[in-house]
Amino acid sequence: MSKSRYDGVVIGAGHNGLITAAYLARAGLRVAVFESRPNVGGAFSTEELTVPGFKHLIHAIHCKLHDSPVNFDLALERRGVSYLFPEPKKAFIRHDSYFVYHQDVEANVQSIKRISPRDAETYRKVARKWQQWYLDFILPEMYSAPSPPQEWEAWIRNRPGGREYLEVVRGYSPVEYANELFESEFCRLSVIRAVASAEYDPACKGIPALVFSFIVSWFAGKSSLVSGGTRRAAEALAGFVTEHGGEIFEAQRVERILVENGVATGIALSDGREVRAERFVASSIDPVHTFLFMIGEDRLPETIRQKVRDYKFKGTTLLRVHLALREQPVFKISSRDPSINSAWKLTIGFESPGDFLKLGAQASAGRIPEIVGLDGGIISVHDPSQAPPGRHTAYIAIPAPFELADGGAGRWVDVSREAAERMLEKLREYAPNMTPENILGRFAYTPKDIEEYLPDMVSADICQGMICPEQLGYNRPWPGMSRYRTFIDGLYLCGAAAHPGGHATGAPGYNAANAIAEDLGIAKWWPAFEPRKVVTL
């Protein structure tokens, strides 16, 4: 370590922590980032899990940085980050029916016409409306500090189209909204699957901005992969930090946050060394580790202790099986539409109404669900760098509990192999070429593995806290601490536990950098984010 005193310290080198550090280092502050893992990236991870030469995106797959101010302000594409927009975007695959959708709205209209001409016309109108809402309401809300509910409502209501937007996002659950708009099951499922991928309950009343952004992204906008693996984006962010004088320390675990007279003054590392932060400390990790462990429960006011205890983590997550393949899956139904075999994202099975919701209910009850369907994706078709020439990487997944009802999280080591085999059997029903001979390697990445890989994903909650109305917007992580500042002067939150929440948007890190710059009186070198000027739909 070159020095033990900085203007600011950032805890965690995931993408949000790196974004906060990048903006402030470019503003002239002496910034250090400390990461417990041996490399940067956090959930922006690309690992060889199965067979050497096969790379797997084990956390963040779908990336939204291309629509963020971060992409433009930090010139990520000039730093080697390139985005792929796979085509087709997604396919629903059943034994006797299918639905394919695309990056382009008009291509989706033509795809929907095959199943419902009425839905095709509805979709054409509503997709354009969603895109306008995305630019005018959703992105501006995500990439700014949250406002109190009355201020937020007044801001929306006074903008063109705001009244209708309010009626939708406050008056409907996603399921109700999908049923109101569309008559076909596939169109309804397209909305519901997008919402579920945001880790939000589709039956919950209200459609928050973060959740609506997934509907737009998956069914009416652009969805991207980072070429070469998601870690490429994290490495570009780290390069920006160091280029502007910041320092990044890997394999350096932060044990405590130092607090003197109610002010955050630095950190203590696990080896006992102390690092001073003269102006700020920013934590990109979850509230439990930040407050209970790094500050210490005995140093928290009772009101804060109670809020940390009451903070909700989602009890269900995913069991993913990552595959190294000799050849890509070939689906039976592709005889009707060969493009299905090139679809990036896949929803396979779910032949009976209610199957999708049944899986979620079983996982919530602590059970490994009955395998009536799978989520999945084929990465290497669109990014050949993920596998050796002529070979492929893919994954399949199901909802899964962190704590199993018959043995807790520790039982995953005993049951993961059998669960993975049942998932592969289901895949073979639809893609018969996925024989054992075609599978060169596989890795069952369990909910327990998620928490061990990234401990700030408590109970394998990939968003550092439930995505639900009572923990979003002005309530994230809780009222009174939702604008990145904490009850300790100089201590900020800059990770997924802050507004707008988890996923690969970079918004918490960007918004925290704005808050810190404002508090320190630092002139912002970056412009205000105006989505209509820079985002292309």
Side-chain angles (χ1 to χ4, degrees):
M1 190 181 303
S2 61
K3 47 185 175 287
S4 59
R5 189 174 294 273
Y6 298 86
D7 290 322
V9 166
V10 176
I11 302 171
H15 72 288
N16 280 307
L18 292 171
I19 287 166
T20 298
Y23 276 91
L24 297 175
R26 172 71 172 78
L29 296 183
R30 294 169 298 128
V31 179
V33 183
F34 290 85
E35 169 57 47
S36 62
R37 289 190 54 77
N39 47 47
V40 300
F44 276 32
S45 51
T46 307
E47 306 283 358
E48 292 189 353
L49 293 176
T50 53
V51 178
F54 290 81
K55 300 176 183 177
H56 303 277
L57 309 181
I58 63 173
H59 285 283
I61 297 173
H62 164 228
C63 182
K64 288 298 290 180
L65 287 183
H66 68 273
D67 277 352
S68 77
V70 174
N71 188 52
F72 307 102
D73 295 341
L74 306 185
L76 295 185
E77 293 183 67
R78 291 206 301 269
R79 295 175 183 279
V81 177
S82 60
Y83 303 101
L84 303 172
F85 299 92
E87 183 60 38
K89 185 190 296 187
K90 188 175 177 87
F92 287 94
I93 297 169
R94 291 177 174 169
H95 288 308
D96 298 313
S97 60
Y98 70 93
F99 176 54
V100 177
Y101 58 95
H102 307 270
Q103 303 280 359
D104 177 71
V105 166
E106 288 304 313
N108 282 334
V109 169
Q110 298 308 312
S111 187
I112 296 169
K113 273 185 178 179
R114 184 181 59 81
I115 57 174
S116 170
R118 175 184 175 275
D119 279 358
E121 288 309 307
T122 299
Y123 169 81
R124 176 184 274 121
K125 295 174 184 176
V126 77
R128 297 302 183 194
K129 185 183 298 181
W130 289 344
Q131 290 181 343
Q132 299 308 309
W133 290 352
Y134 186 64
L135 296 175
D136 292 340
F137 305 126
I138 295 170
L139 287 178
E141 181 179 341
M142 290 172 58
Y143 291 97
S144 62
S147 301
Q150 289 183 329
E151 291 182 17
W152 169 81
E153 180 180 340
W155 172 71
I156 298 288
R157 192 176 295 279
N158 292 329
R159 305 190 75 184
R163 291 181 182 272
E164 183 182 4
Y165 177 73
L166 280 174
E167 289 174 3
V168 169
V169 300
R170 295 197 309 188
Y172 291 88
S173 70
V175 168
E176 292 169 340
Y177 189 45
N179 291 343
E180 171 98 354
L181 288 174
F182 300 115
E183 63 181 11
S184 66
E185 184 189 9
F186 279 131
C187 283
R188 290 174 174 178
L189 278 175
S190 296
V191 174
I192 293 167
R193 286 296 292 118
V195 169
S197 68
E199 298 297 311
Y200 189 75
D201 180 356
C204 184
K205 182 71 75 175
I207 310 177
L210 178 70
V211 176
F212 217 134
S213 75
F214 274 70
I215 298 174
V216 177
S217 175
W218 279 113
F219 202 27
K222 303 292 185 184
S223 302
S224 71
L225 277 168
V226 176
S227 178
T230 320
R231 183 171 286 147
R232 286 272 182 92
E235 290 169 346
L237 290 167
F240 190 102
V241 173
T242 57
E243 180 181 322
H244 290 91
E247 296 185 68
I248 299 172
F249 300 97
E250 299 166 341
Q252 300 283 340
R253 187 168 68 85
V254 176
E255 188 78 20
R256 290 184 296 116
I257 296 172
L258 305 177
V259 180
E260 298 174 8
N261 300 317
V263 178
T265 59
I267 59 169
L269 300 173
S270 57
D271 62 7
R273 289 176 297 163
E274 293 188 354
V275 180
R276 292 288 164 171
E278 296 181 345
R279 307 189 73 177
F280 76 89
V281 175
S283 173
S284 69
I285 62 176
D286 68 280
V288 170
H289 283 87
T290 298
F291 295 115
L292 289 187
F293 301 158
M294 292 184 178
I295 298 294
E297 185 172 6
D298 59 334
R299 304 191 66 180
L300 301 179
E302 177 55 33
T303 55
I304 301 299
R305 279 201 297 270
Q306 192 60 48
K307 288 182 184 297
V308 176
R309 292 191 198 109
D310 292 343
Y311 189 66
K312 299 176 183 177
F313 293 96
K314 190 176 182 185
T316 59
T317 182
L318 293 174
L319 168 62
R320 272 186 184 156
V321 180
H322 293 276
L323 302 171
L325 302 175
R326 193 180 304 277
E327 61 184 41
Q328 72 184 83
V330 177
F331 295 96
K332 293 179 185 178
I333 199 73
S334 67
S335 61
R336 300 190 197 177
D337 184 345
S339 73
I340 289 170
N341 290 330
S342 298
W344 169 26
K345 291 276 194 170
L346 306 166
T347 295
I348 303 167
F350 303 101
E351 301 281 349
S352 302
D355 274 353
F356 179 70
L357 295 178
K358 181 167 71 176
L359 255 73
Q362 291 173 340
S364 296
R367 296 165 52 197
I368 298 175
E370 178 187 352
I371 313 298
V372 295
L374 301 167
D375 188 29
I378 307 172
I379 307 300
S380 53
V381 168
H382 306 284
D383 184 1
S385 71
Q386 301 294 292
R391 305 301 188 211
H392 290 279
T393 58
Y395 69 91
I396 50 178
I398 56 170
F402 178 73
E403 295 281 354
L404 289 162
D406 59 346
R411 183 158 164 69
W412 273 111
V413 68
D414 299 319
V415 300
S416 61
R417 183 176 182 83
E418 191 271 336
E421 188 54 49
R422 287 195 289 123
M423 292 165 68
L424 287 168
E425 288 173 5
K426 176 60 66 173
L427 176 62
R428 289 184 192 111
E429 285 184 27
Y430 299 85
N433 69 321
M434 289 294 98
T435 61
E437 294 74 23
N438 192 16
I439 299 172
L440 302 174
R442 73 185 196 190
F443 187 94
Y445 193 59
T446 72
K448 182 62 174 172
D449 294 328
I450 294 174
E451 189 186 62
E452 290 179 354
Y453 186 92
L454 291 173
D456 61 323
M457 292 184 176
V458 177
S459 298
D461 187 328
I462 64 174
C463 293
Q464 285 189 355
M466 279 188 71
I467 302 298
C468 56
E470 60 269 32
Q471 288 188 177
L472 288 176
Y474 202 64
N475 297 326
R476 193 165 185 89
W478 49 74
M481 207 181 296
S482 60
R483 294 172 65 87
Y484 314 99
R485 292 97 173 164
T486 72
F487 72 98
I488 296 172
D489 287 345
L491 177 61
Y492 298 82
L493 298 179
C494 65
H499 170 78
H503 304 297
T505 68
Y510 170 81
N511 294 337
N514 276 280
I516 295 168
E518 290 161 9
D519 288 354
L520 299 184
I522 295 170
K524 297 179 184 179
W525 57 266
W526 58 96
F529 182 44
E530 298 182 68
R532 283 191 169 273
K533 290 187 177 181
V534 294
V535 175
T536 302
L537 294 175

